[in-house]
C-alpha cells in the first residue's frame, strides 16, 4: 500500500511542479500576464510540500527518484498541453528514467 501512496504522491508532485513551471512559461513567454505567473509560483511552492509527504524519509532519495518522474511527466505534459510529439528516443529515455525511479524507491533493502 505504501508503494501506491508513493506513486500517487510522485504524480501529484509532477502535476504541481510541471504545471507550475508551465504556468510561469505561459505567463512570461506567451505574455499571459502576472496571474499566470503567480499561479505558477504557488503551484511550484505546493510541489515542495507534496515531496515531504513521501513515506521514505531520505530527502536525497526522494528528489533523485522524482527526477525520473519529472522527465517522463514533462514529456507527457508536452503531449497533452502543447501537442508535442515525442520520438522513440524520448520514449525510451523516459522509460529508462522510470526504471531508475523503481530501482531507487522500491528495490528491497535490508
Amino acid at each position: 500500500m505504501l508503494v501506491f501512496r508513493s506513486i500517487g504522491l510522485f504524480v501529484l508532485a509532477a502535476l504541481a511542479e510541471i504545471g507550475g513551471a508551465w504556468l510561469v512559461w505561459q505567463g512570461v513567454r506567451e505574455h499571459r500576464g502576472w496571474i499566470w505567473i503567480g499561479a505558477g509560483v504557488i503551484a511550484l511552492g505546493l510541489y515542495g510540500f507534496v515531496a515531504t509527504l513521501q513515506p521514505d524519509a531520505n530527502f536525497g532519495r526522494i528528489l533523485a527518484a522524482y527526477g525520473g518522474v519529472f522527465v517522463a511527466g514533462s514529456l507527457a505534459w508536452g503531449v497533452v498541453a502543447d501537442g508535442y510529439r515525442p520520438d522513440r528516443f524520448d520514449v525510451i529515455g523516459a522509460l529508462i528514467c522510470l526504471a531508475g525511479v523503481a530501482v531507487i524507491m522500491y528495490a528491497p533493502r535490508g
Side-chain angles (χ1 to χ4, degrees), residues 10-27 35-47 66 70 73-74 76-78 81-82:
F10 277 134
V11 169
L12 187 59
L15 289 172
E17 185 181 23
I18 298 164
W22 184 82
L23 286 166
V24 171
W25 179 282
Q26 293 296 308
I35 292 175
W36 286 68
I37 295 168
V41 168
I42 290 168
L44 288 166
L46 289 173
Y47 153 74
Y66 175 68
F70 181 82
S74 295
W77 187 281
D82 293 326

Side-chain angles (χ1 to χ4, degrees), residues 10 17 47 61-74 97-98 101 104:
F10 277 134
E17 185 181 23
Y47 153 74
R61 180 178 294 146
I62 298 302
L63 268 288
Y66 175 68
V69 173
F70 181 82
V71 169
S74 295
C97 289
L98 291 175
V101 171
I104 291 169

Side-chain angles (χ1 to χ4, degrees):
M1 195 58 148
L2 285 179
V3 171
F4 292 117
R5 178 173 183 247
S6 174
I7 291 169
L9 287 168
F10 277 134
V11 169
L12 187 59
L15 289 172
E17 185 181 23
I18 298 164
W22 184 82
L23 286 166
V24 171
W25 179 282
Q26 293 296 308
V28 174
R29 298 279 303 239
E30 304 298 327
H31 309 288
R32 295 190 185 221
W34 286 103
I35 292 175
W36 286 68
I37 295 168
V41 168
I42 290 168
L44 288 166
L46 289 173
Y47 153 74
F49 287 103
V50 171
T52 68
L53 302 174
Q54 281 288 348
D56 191 302
N58 296 292
F59 175 82
R61 180 178 294 146
I62 298 302
L63 268 288
Y66 175 68
V69 173
F70 181 82
V71 169
S74 295
L75 290 172
W77 187 281
V79 168
V80 172
D82 293 326
Y84 175 71
R85 307 262 316 169
D87 63 24
R88 68 177 180 234
F89 299 109
D90 293 327
V91 172
I92 292 168
L95 291 172
I96 290 169
C97 289
L98 291 175
V101 171
V103 170
I104 291 169
M105 287 299 297
Y106 311 120
R109 291 184 165 84

